[in-house]
């Protein structure tokens, strides 16, 4: 799942100014996309978190990630980026999942 952000079904940003809320919505969006692709959160082997202010928001984003992936423990990186596509977005998350081939 690439470039996942905290938008809802209407395309509106969830949690303006709240890195935790944005991270949780982003992770919900990843879970939904995984399910549509026939995968589960447990299939995720790597995540990458892009944060616009890592000094301010790393704990909130990390807490959300830990709540979702704590037992799964994918390889993870968190990096600071200058900006995301919408100035109100604080975090973007990518996830790589491995799903066994059918058959």
């Amino acid at each position: 799942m690439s470039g996942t952000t905290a938008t809802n079904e209407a395309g509106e940003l969830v949690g303006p100014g709240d890195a935790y809320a944005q991270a949780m919505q982003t992770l919900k969006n990843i879970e939904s996309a995984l399910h549509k692709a026939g995968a589960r959160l447990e299939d995720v082997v790597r995540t990458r978190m892009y944060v616009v202010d890592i000094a301010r928001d790393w704990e909130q984003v990390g807490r959300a990630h830990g709540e979702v992936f704590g037992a799964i423990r994918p390889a993870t990186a968190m990096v600071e980026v200058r900006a995301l596509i919408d100035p109100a977005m604080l975090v973007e998350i990518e996830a790589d999942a491995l799903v066994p081939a059918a058959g």
Side-chain angles (χ1 to χ4, degrees):
M1 306 296 126
S2 65
T4 308
T5 57
T7 53
N8 61 21
E9 297 82 15
E12 301 162 332
L13 182 65
V14 173
D18 185 338
Y20 175 80
Q22 287 192 25
M24 288 302 292
Q25 179 64 42
T26 299
L27 293 164
K28 287 178 189 175
N29 292 347
I30 287 171
E31 183 175 24
S32 176
L34 286 166
H35 284 233
K36 289 176 185 174
R40 306 169 305 141
L41 286 171
E42 291 80 7
D43 297 318
V44 173
V45 296
R46 179 178 175 168
T47 60
R48 287 172 275 331
M49 297 170 277
Y50 303 99
V51 182
V52 296
D53 188 339
I54 203 165
R56 180 191 67 206
D57 295 333
W58 74 268
E59 289 182 87
Q60 293 178 62
V61 174
R63 178 167 53 99
H65 187 276
E67 289 174 12
V68 173
F69 288 112
I72 301 164
R73 303 187 59 83
T76 300
M78 182 186 297
V79 296
E80 184 172 78
V81 294
R82 193 175 122 205
L84 297 171
I85 193 126
D86 179 333
M89 290 178 175
L90 304 175
V91 62
E92 178 177 307
I93 302 174
E94 295 180 350
D96 299 334
L98 293 177
V99 181

